[in-house]
Amino acid sequence: MIALTVVLALGVGLSLGLLGGGGSILMVPLLAYVAGLDAAHAIATSLLVVGVTSVVGAVSHARAGHVQWRTGLMFGAAGMVGAYAGGWISQFLPGSLLLVGLAAVMITAAIAMLRGRTAEAVGSAQSPTGRPVTLVLQGAAVGLVTGLVGAGGGFLVVPALALLAGLPMATAAPH
């Protein structure tokens, strides 16, 4: 079982590096259903694993000039506050509810990305740093969900930056 977990975890890392997302959304089920951790431990462990993996992956994207530092720092700082709140709240909820919440968030994010932005929204999109209050609120909301269900870094941040903050997809999830 450990060998299977390691092989699948390598696949998660590859997905995270290629797509800019997919770490926790894949890691939580892997830790819960393959590695046998209970939901609370799977959620907390995934946050650590994906956080470290993301830092490593971000280095190459930063070197290539794909990182919008001001946007990332504003969104990220607000996201950390939201994640702390979500993590605190999650201790009062049953693990099964958190896993159902994770599934609901996955489906919602997938539908939003498939629908994309309308031509009107793309044409009227302002620079995300031109709307700092909106950016901070979006970061806090994504962080709250991330802290609650242990996933959402990439699979919620990328859609939020692309669909809500108006970043081009190549910048939101650089390849």
Side-chain angles (χ1 to χ4, degrees):
M1 198 56 84
I2 292 175
L4 177 61
T5 302
V6 170
V7 168
L8 292 174
L10 289 172
V12 171
L14 182 63
S15 166
L16 187 60
L18 287 173
L19 304 174
S24 291
I25 200 70
L26 300 173
M27 188 59 76
V28 171
L30 180 126
L31 292 171
Y33 300 116
V34 178
L37 295 180
D38 66 83
H41 286 105
I43 288 169
T45 303
S46 77
L47 292 172
L48 174 65
V49 170
V50 174
V52 171
T53 306
S54 296
V55 168
V56 171
V59 171
S60 64
H61 291 298
R63 286 184 179 166
H66 296 154
V67 177
Q68 288 191 9
W69 290 102
R70 183 172 176 208
T71 301
L73 291 172
M74 288 171 57
F75 195 93
M80 285 189 282
V81 172
Y84 181 82
W88 181 79
I89 293 168
S90 72
Q91 68 184 326
F92 302 110
L93 301 174
S96 58
L97 178 63
L98 295 174
L99 291 175
V100 168
L102 172 63
V105 170
M106 288 169 54
I107 292 166
T108 303
I111 290 169
M113 286 301 287
L114 289 172
R115 289 183 55 192
R117 292 185 287 170
T118 63
E120 178 182 306
V122 171
S124 67
Q126 299 175 351
S127 165
T129 55
R131 300 175 283 140
V133 172
T134 302
L135 189 65
V136 167
L137 291 174
Q138 291 168 349
V142 168
L144 181 70
V145 173
T146 299
L148 272 172
V149 299
F155 93 96
L156 283 180
V157 170
V158 171
L161 290 174
L163 299 174
L164 301 175
L167 290 179
M169 190 62 183
T171 303
H175 305 327

